[in-house]
């Protein structure tokens, strides 16, 4: 203090002034003194210039001079201590030095000295403060006397902030202000009082006792004719809204609302009529709009904070608003002479009723708002509906007026200073429509309907209102070009109505009640009807309106309830015409537009947009199984393919733009439009692949390669954007990969290459964008999370048809050396590098050998669950030998006669795969070793092996002797029932008896009884013409004729596997292998007589059936190895429709199928059976269907695998017999019902594995534990009652399903 001079004091005062001047705006914006202190305390955090202030620099230097040496000493002590031990870190040193400094004597003395200095400086500044304030007030009085209008130049009501005023605003001063605000006071006095009020802290004004009286005075003052004074009042209101708590702002708001209500009710005020319009340059109108605008701004902000206050505050605000908006003048008979109500002005500043949307958003305010609307202010809803009705009637009368069509409602970008009555009516209509749209979302809002209107006999119901909205789309004026849709704000009526309808569609409960009914759908389809019929009304509907209607229909079709309504109508069982539902009309119109059969659109620039919009609706429909069934008669795939080829030719003919030419931009735009149209058509074709039957239609168009290429391009683009983004086409990829042609398309497009590259990057290389210093985590799961997505994608991809096309007859590279930079690109490369690691070169080429090989073994395990894939890999690559050799190399010789397997992750994985490959059997017939170690002293009790035979512990211990005493019911039935004159009666009797026994004594249907029953039943059915589907074929070859014929290596290995399984079940004798071989040779020759010559690039169509005949093998076991009985049965059975769906080779390259179906390489089991599995699954077990969609997997692929191998490895033998017998006796559609029953049985497991993200692996690897055909027999009978007419009809039509 001794060194603190006058100059130092002046210098500090200057520094403080600079600081306060810099932060003046922040402090004056604070609602209270406490908030201002908080702002100063946290200034370093909020002000980037904090360290540049002179006062801050002064404090820093002062601290450095006083404490600098002490801090350095402490730092040196800590540093030396750190060198001796690693106890101190950097943060610890800072904390230690800070603590020691704050506890020091020097620090306390410094703080005391600073406080003394600052007290002197602040006291001096406060004294000078009051002197400056007195002089300022005197100066202002002189200025007011010289120039009374000087306040007009003020731009801000808080130009002199509360910080520059006295810290206390006494009650006496507020009373003085109240007296001076009296209208009887001179203008100058009132100005001065208002100025003082604006300068006072809001918290002081709020706490004054006279606040209520002040509100009343302000409400009166708002009506002051002096524009300057009323503007100053509005600025005070704005300041209060911004800075004050809800209690104060609520009273300000209600006073403003009350003032406006009185203003509109007063006859003295000149409120414009509709005929006059609104001229915003008129001072009176400007002031009124300012008040309404301020009210609206608060309306939009209030919901963000009023929930923190008592409900009565919010209720007063809501009620004052509704009271204001309910003000009505005496209605003139002429609309043009009508005086505008407050709602017109509110609509002018908030056309889309944002305030109402925000008030309705939260339940807290919505409840109060709807209650008041229902009890006191329902007239608001009435007038809103009335306005929509009046505008619609105006549009109908003025539809032919082209000027209205093009000028007024298409989003004029220039600012309007004058609004005509017609424009005001339109703005009010927009406001009313948005308000009503938001109201309809909520249940209690819909309960306000029906509405009774004046001059209308009938009430307006919800349906009436929705129909009115829809009619506005095609009756109201609209923009001539869709380019306006790119504007940020498009207020065309059609666009606004469409937005409202979209909003309603997005709310399920609201959409069901409002939109999903025949009346609304008919209103949407009316213009389409008119266009197809060519009526006069068709000319009233523009292309833009059609596009808006299509957008709404697409939203409806995207929801299950809406889709059902479009497909079947409101009453699914009604007798109305089949082709009168919405889906039929949309499909008819889309086909006509695609084929160019609607003359009104010829030459229209907007035709591609119309086509795209309606194809989008159709895509939502035919992307589902049930939708595709309805749209099949229209052959949309053909029309789309034809339109795509036409567009593709156009894109090739576009001339190359020449640089510098004026036509460059036009050619470029034309090219972009055509390319967009071409891509849209391809995308529409691609979406046919979402269902099995749709994929068949897509392949018939010949555009599958281009469609898959489009899908891959989008996949690659999404990978570039985000590697974590979910790929939307996963289900389509799974469907496409289930067919041979689809697999080739995926390969040629680059999709498989990209998938394998991504896998290798995650598995071996790591990501490029991860810093080298960031070490890669050690995987703890068999398949690391980074590779899980690629693993599942490969599982989806590698169905047997895909594997055969991509791997069949392909040799492995087996190189002598592999470069570390060599990345696999084909499936054979993956097999070579990750699965069959039979050389040191392959092992050395892997950075993560163990993790990568486990990945390969897991993939092999899933692939081998498909028995045809297993046979193919074994015959081509000798997988078993490789695995056994690897296990042999994993043996540790502890002594001469003692050899132990090294138990590690690879040997455990190989042991599991070896057991799975070698043993055939259902869940109770074989035991698969786990792939995880147990806890305890013996972590892996399962014996490993490196040669045959397998250890006995893996063979089931259930009774395998089937020669037990059987129930004689079936045998007695065959002996007792004599064949009557009409064989159909015997057939139906057998079927009834079969169902009865399956439900009561299912285990009796086995062994000799089953053989006898099948033989007799098929014999009599094949002799009944009405039961036969295929013609009889003469076959005279003997065993000697076919003995020397050869079978494929796959068939030979399949025979060995079948015989091994049959012997395990005690069904076959030692000579069974030769007998089964003869049966298969006879079948091959027998079926070859019924095949048509075919030229195809597909490998699966080059020769005879490529897989093993699992149905014949199953039947051979049922017939207990009797080759004569087996083949005789097959000859008779081949005449039945059931043979087409149980016996896959039966229709391989068959002459009974349409040529284009055979050329596609798709079996009827896929495009018919599994198609209906997906369709019924969605209806019967919707949770499972949703689980498949979420997993990106298709039910059709796993069903195709189950059916192809007759459920071998998935069901026990007795259940396989019951499956075959059920389909033979009751019909091929039971194949579909069986799959549905299985999914129903697995529902809980499927949901769990969907959550674990391994659904496809679970379904392919796991047997169907606990499933018995007899347990679900009654359920399957119920499915038959509900679906047989549709399913069986489609199965019978496979011979005629051709383009």
């Amino acid at each position: 203090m001794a060194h603190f001079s006058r100059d130092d004091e002046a210098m500090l005062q200057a520094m403080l002034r600079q600081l306060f001047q810099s932060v003046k705006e922040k402090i004056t914006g604070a609602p209270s003194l406490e908030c201002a202190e908080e702002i100063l305390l946290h200034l370093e955090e909020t002000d980037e210039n904090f360290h540049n202030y002179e006062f801050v620099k002064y404090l820093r230097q002062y601290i450095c001079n006083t404490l600098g040496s002490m801090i350095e000493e402490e730092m040196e002590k800590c540093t030396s201590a750190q060198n001796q031990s690693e106890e101190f870190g950097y943060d610890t040193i800072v904390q230690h030095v800070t603590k020691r400094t704050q506890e020091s004597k020097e620090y306390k003395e410094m703080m005391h000295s600073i406080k003394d200095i600052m007290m002197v400086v602040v006291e001096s500044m406060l004294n000078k403060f009051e002197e400056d304030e007195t002089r300022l007030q005197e100066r202002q009085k002189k200025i007011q006397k010289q120039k009374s209008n000087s306040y007009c130049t003020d731009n801000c009501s808080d130009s002199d902030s509360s910080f520059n005023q006295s810290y206390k605003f006494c009650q006496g001063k507020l009373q003085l202000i109240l007296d001076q605000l009296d209208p009887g006071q001179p203008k100058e006095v009132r100005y001065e009082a208002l100025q003082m009020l604006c300068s006072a802290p809001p918290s002081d004004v709020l706490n004054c006792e006279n606040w209520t009286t002040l509100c009343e005075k302000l409400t009166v003052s708002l009506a002051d004719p002096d524009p300057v004074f009323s503007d100053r009042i509005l600025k005070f209101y704005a300041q209060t809204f911004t800075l004050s708590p809800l209690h104060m702002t609520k009273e300000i708001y209600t006073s403003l609302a009350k003032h406006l209500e009185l203003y509109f009710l007063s006859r003295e005020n000149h409120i414009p009529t509709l005929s006059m319009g609104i001229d915003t340059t008129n001072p009176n109108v400007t002031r009124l709009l300012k008040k309404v605008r301020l009210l609206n701004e608060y309306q939009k902000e209030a919901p963000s904070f009023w929930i923190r206050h008592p409900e009565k505050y919010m209720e007063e605000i809501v009620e004052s608003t509704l009271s204001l908006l309910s003000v009505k003048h005496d209605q003139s008979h002429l609309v043009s002479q009508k005086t505008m109500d407050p709602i017109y002005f509110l609509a002018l500043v908030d056309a889309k009723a944002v305030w109402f949307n925000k008030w309705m958003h939260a339940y807290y305010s919505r409840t109060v708002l709807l209650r008041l609307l229902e009890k006191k202010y329902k007239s608001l809803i009435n007038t809103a509906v009335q306005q929509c009705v009046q505008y619609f009637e105006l549009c109908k009368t003025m539809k032919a007026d082209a000027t209205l069509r093009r000028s007024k409602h298409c989003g004029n970008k220039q600012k309007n200073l004058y609004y005509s009555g017609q424009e005001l009516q339109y703005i009010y209509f927009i406001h009313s429509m948005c308000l009503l749209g938001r109201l309809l979302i909520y249940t209690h809002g819909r309960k306000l309907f029906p509405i009774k209107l004046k001059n209308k006999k009938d009430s307006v119901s919800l349906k009436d209102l929705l129909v009115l909205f829809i009619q506005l789309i095609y009756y109201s004026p609209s923009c001539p070009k869709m380019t306006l849709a790119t504007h940020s704000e498009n207020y065309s009526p059609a666009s606004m109505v469409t937005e409202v309808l979209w909003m309603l569609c997005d709310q399920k409960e609201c959409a069901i009640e409002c939109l999903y009914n025949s009346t609304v759908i008919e209103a949407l389809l009316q213009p389409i009807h008119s266009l197809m019929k060519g009526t006069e009304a068709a000319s009233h509907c523009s292309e833009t309106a059609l596009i808006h209607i299509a957008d709404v229909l697409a939203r409806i079709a995207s929801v299950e309830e809406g889709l059902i309504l479009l497909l079947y109508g409101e009453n699914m069982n009604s007798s109305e015409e089949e082709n009168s539902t919405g889906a039929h009309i949309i499909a008819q119109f889309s086909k006509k537009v695609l084929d160019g059969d609607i003359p009104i659109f010829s030459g229209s620039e907007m035709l591609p947009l119309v086509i795209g919009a309606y194809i989008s609706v159709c895509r939502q429909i035919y992307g589902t199984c049930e939708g595709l069934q309805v749209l099949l008669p229209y052959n949309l795939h053909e029309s789309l393919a034809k339109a795509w080829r036409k567009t593709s030719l156009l894109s090739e003919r576009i001339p190359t733009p020449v640089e510098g030419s004026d036509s460059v931009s036009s050619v470029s735009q034309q090219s972009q439009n055509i390319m967009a149209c071409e891509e849209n058509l391809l995308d529409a074709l691609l979406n046919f692949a979402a269902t099995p039957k749709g994929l068949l239609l897509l392949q018939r168009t010949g555009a599958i390669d281009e469609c898959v290429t489009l899908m891959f391009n989008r996949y690659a683009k999404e990978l570039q954007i985000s590697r974590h983004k979910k790929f939307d086409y996963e289900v389509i990829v799974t469907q496409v990969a289930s067919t041979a042609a689809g697999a080739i398309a995926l390969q040629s497009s680059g999709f498989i290459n990209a998938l394998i590259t991504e896998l290798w990057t995650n598995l071996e290389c790591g990501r490029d964008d991860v810093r080298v210093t960031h070490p890669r985590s050690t995987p703890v799961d068999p398949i690391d999370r980074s590779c899980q997505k690629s693993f599942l994608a490969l599982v989806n991809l590698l169905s047997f048809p895909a594997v055969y096309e991509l791997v069949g007859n392909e040799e492995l590279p087996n190189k002598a050396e592999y470069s570390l930079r060599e990345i696999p690109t084909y499936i054979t490369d993956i097999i070579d590098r990750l699965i069959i690691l039979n050389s040191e070169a392959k092992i050395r080429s892997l950075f993560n050998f163990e993790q990568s090989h486990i990945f390969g073994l897991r993939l092999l395990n899933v692939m081998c669950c498909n028995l045809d894939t297993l046979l193919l890999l074994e015959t081509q690559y000798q997988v078993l030998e490789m695995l056994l050799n690897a296990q042999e190399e994993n043996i540790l010789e502890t002594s001469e006669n003692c050899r132990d397997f090294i138990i590690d992750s690879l040997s455990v994985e190989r042991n599991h795969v070896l057991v799975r490959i070698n043993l055939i059997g259902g869940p109770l017939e074989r035991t698969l070793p786990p792939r995880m170690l147990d806890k305890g002293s013996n972590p892996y009790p399962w014996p490993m092996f490196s040669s045959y035979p397998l250890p006995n512990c893996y063979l089931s211990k259930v009774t395998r002797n089937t020669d037990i005493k059987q129930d004689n019911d079936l045998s007695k039935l065959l002996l007792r029932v004599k064949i009557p004159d009409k064989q159909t009666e015997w057939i139906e009797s057998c079927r009834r008896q079969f169902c009865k026994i399956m439900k009561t004594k299912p285990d009796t249907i086995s062994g000799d009884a089953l053989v006898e029953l099948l033989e007799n039943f098929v014999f009599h059915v094949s002799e009944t013409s009405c039961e036969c589907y295929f013609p009889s074929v003469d076959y005279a070859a003997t065993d000697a004729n076919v003995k020397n014929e050869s079978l494929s290596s796959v068939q030979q290995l399949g025979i060995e596997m079948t015989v091994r399984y049959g012997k395990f079940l005690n069904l076959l004798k030692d000579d069974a292998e030769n007998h089964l071989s003869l049966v298969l040779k006879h079948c091959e020759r027998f079926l070859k007589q019924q095949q048509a010559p075919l030229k195809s690039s597909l490998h699966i169509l080059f020769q005879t059936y490529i897989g093993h005949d699992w149905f014949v093998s199953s039947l051979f076991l049922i017939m207990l190895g009797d080759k004569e009985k087996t083949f005789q049965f097959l000859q008779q059975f081949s005449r039945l429709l059931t043979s087409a769906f149980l016996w896959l080779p039966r229709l391989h390259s068959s002459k009974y199928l349409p040529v284009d179906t055979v050329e596609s390489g798709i079996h009827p089991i896929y495009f018919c059976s599994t198609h209906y599995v997906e369709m019924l699954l969605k209806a019967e077990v919707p949770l499972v269907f949703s689980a498949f969609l979420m997993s990106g997997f298709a039910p059709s692929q796993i069903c195709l695998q189950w059916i192809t191998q007759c459920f071998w490895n998935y069901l026990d033998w007795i259940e396989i017999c019951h499956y075959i017998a059920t389909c033979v006796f009751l019909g091929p559609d039971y194949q579909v019902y069986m799959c549905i029953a299985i999914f129903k049985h697995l529902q809980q497991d499927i949901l769990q594995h969907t959550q674990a993200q391994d659904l496809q692996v679970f379904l392919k690897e796991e047997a169907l534990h606990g499933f018995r055909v007899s347990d679900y027999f009654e359920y399957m009978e119920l499915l038959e009652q509900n679906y047989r007419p549709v399913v069986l009809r489609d199965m019978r039509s496979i011979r005629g399903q051709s383009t």
Side-chain angles (χ1 to χ4, degrees), residues 295-314:
L295 194 80
N296 181 248
E297 289 296 324
Y298 181 77
Q299 288 171 347
K300 292 187 284 189
E301 291 297 325
S304 62
F305 55 78
W306 63 19
I307 195 172
R308 299 192 295 268
H309 297 273
E311 186 177 321
K312 65 175 183 178
Y313 292 159
M314 179 265 294

Side-chain angles (χ1 to χ4, degrees), residues 911-968:
N911 194 50
H912 179 89
V913 177
L914 278 167
V915 175
R916 181 183 291 276
I917 289 176
N918 279 281
L919 288 183
I920 298 294
L924 298 178
E925 294 169 347
R926 66 174 180 174
T927 303
L928 297 177
R931 290 180 285 189
M932 302 294 291
L933 300 181
D934 297 331
K935 295 180 180 179
S937 58
N938 189 10
Y940 194 76
W942 301 90
M944 293 188 180
F945 58 96
S946 58
S947 60
Y948 298 119
L950 273 68
N952 290 331
C953 65
Y954 297 120
L955 301 175
S956 173
K957 294 181 181 180
V958 297
T959 303
R960 288 174 281 149
N961 184 10
T962 58
D963 294 332
I964 59 175
K965 186 176 181 180
Q966 301 285 350
D967 187 273
N968 293 325

